[in-house]
Amino acid sequence: MPDRSLITAPASACPARERTRALNPINARRTAPIHDDGRHRRCTPTFCLAPHTSLQALSLNIGAAAVPRAEAILSWLRRRSEDVFVLTETSRGEGTRLLLDGLRARGYSTFSTVATRDRGVAVASRIPIHDVLDDRLSLTLPWRVSAIVLNTHPRVTLLGVYVPSRDRSPLKVARKEAFLASLLKSVRGLSTALRSRLLLVGDYNVVARHHSPQLSGFFPYEYAFHEQLKALGLTAAHELGRPSPQPHSWIGRTGNGYLYDYVHVGRALQTSVERCSYLHGPRERRLTDHAAVTVRLRLG
């Protein structure tokens, strides 16, 4: 059975606001200066109750990293500025535990569900969480999705996802097809408001029908996955900027590039995307065999 784990930093009032009140009760309504994304400058982001009007998220496949590689990944993540990390191909091992402990020590709340003999996904956020949606989804492999609503302005729904890989065995083909169908059903079942402000983030382990280069060997249901996301109002973030060559996030043994890792954006957020980038540093340094994908949204 999966082990559902939700660990958050203690809830409290904004420290900067409380200090201001203590030092100057007459001016109790005054708060510390505000960052351009809405956070108080003297606040630990996890504790701050000011509305967040921007969002940066990053997804990285960690390849079930053992401790030495996990330490290197954590060192790399510590130098990043994103508000939310989505880590895919997590495990119940010490490496995943080290990564989540390290992010919590830096003020992130972590959300993860991992089955004993399977891989999963973890989300770490330093933006306060308005709601957790995991129990409202109908998934065949629930530990492969983590769903939260971020307390941004306006609020953003985030689904971190790790789609299972497969070989040609009928069991694994059917397992993957059933999971993708259940994921689409779960997205379809969200309210219009939640779905329109949705970020679907992670490793899909499928390519689009018109992938460049053209890649054979995928089943029709795999090619169709992207088309069904489009029908639900979701667009890949890297397609929302200026036209550019299609990126790749994983390189096969023959040298072909595959785009497996994505951020898909709901209709209400698509004009908010400022940039989406694929970062090959982790892959080139052999921290993992995937590039990271990062997105920045300006909200409000």
Side-chain angles (χ1 to χ4, degrees), residues 79-124:
R79 295 193 294 272
R80 302 295 308 171
S81 62
E82 282 80 9
D83 305 295
V84 178
F85 295 123
V86 176
L87 305 180
T88 61
E89 201 171 345
T90 57
S91 73
R92 291 177 62 89
E94 292 297 322
T96 294
R97 187 173 296 111
L98 180 148
L99 276 165
L100 298 183
D101 287 347
L103 291 172
R104 284 194 292 271
R106 292 185 64 82
Y108 288 79
S109 300
T110 63
F111 306 80
S112 63
T113 307
V114 182
T116 304
R117 297 184 180 181
D118 198 9
R119 303 296 187 231
V121 62
V123 172

Side-chain angles (χ1 to χ4, degrees), residues 5 12 19 26-27 41 76 79 97 100 111-112 133 138 140 159 166 169 172 190 224 235-236 238 244 259 266 273 293:
S5 173
S12 87
R19 281 195 295 271
I26 296 175
N27 297 320
R41 287 181 180 150
W76 185 80
R79 295 193 294 272
R97 187 173 296 111
L100 298 183
F111 306 80
S112 63
L133 304 177
S138 300
T140 58
L159 267 65
R166 61 158 181 82
S169 66
K172 289 190 175 180
L190 295 173
T235 300
H238 72 272
S244 60
L259 183 52
V273 175
V293 55

Side-chain angles (χ1 to χ4, degrees), residues 59-194:
S59 178
L60 180 67
N61 180 307
I62 66 169
V67 168
R69 190 158 55 86
E71 289 175 338
I73 293 172
L74 180 60
S75 177
W76 185 80
L77 291 175
R78 282 173 171 163
R79 295 193 294 272
R80 302 295 308 171
S81 62
E82 282 80 9
D83 305 295
V84 178
F85 295 123
V86 176
L87 305 180
T88 61
E89 201 171 345
T90 57
S91 73
R92 291 177 62 89
E94 292 297 322
T96 294
R97 187 173 296 111
L98 180 148
L99 276 165
L100 298 183
D101 287 347
L103 291 172
R104 284 194 292 271
R106 292 185 64 82
Y108 288 79
S109 300
T110 63
F111 306 80
S112 63
T113 307
V114 182
T116 304
R117 297 184 180 181
D118 198 9
R119 303 296 187 231
V121 62
V123 172
S125 173
R126 63 180 179 181
I127 293 177
I129 306 305
H130 173 72
D131 202 0
V132 178
L133 304 177
D134 288 11
D135 292 336
R136 302 179 214 175
L137 306 180
S138 300
L139 297 157
T140 58
L141 307 171
W143 51 90
R144 285 179 174 262
V145 173
S146 187
I148 56 178
V149 179
L150 298 166
N151 196 29
T152 50
H153 181 73
R155 291 187 179 117
V156 171
T157 310
L158 184 138
L159 267 65
V161 58
Y162 179 49
V163 176
S165 57
R166 61 158 181 82
D167 51 27
R168 305 296 292 189
S169 66
L171 182 62
K172 289 190 175 180
V173 170
R175 179 176 184 256
K176 185 175 184 180
E177 183 174 14
F179 175 78
L180 287 174
S182 72
L183 177 59
L184 289 166
K185 179 181 177 181
S186 294
V187 172
R188 196 176 295 114
L190 295 173
S191 69
T192 301
L194 290 176

Side-chain angles (χ1 to χ4, degrees), residues 11-27:
S12 87
C14 168
R17 183 180 296 127
E18 293 304 313
R19 281 195 295 271
T20 301
R21 289 175 177 169
L23 293 172
N24 192 355
I26 296 175
N27 297 320

Side-chain angles (χ1 to χ4, degrees), residues 265-286:
V265 185
R267 285 192 180 99
L269 296 178
Q270 289 170 13
T271 58
S272 302
V273 175
E274 293 188 332
R275 66 173 181 267
C276 178
S277 305
Y278 283 80
L279 310 177
H280 288 269
R283 186 182 64 80
E284 292 167 349
R285 293 171 54 191
R286 297 189 178 182

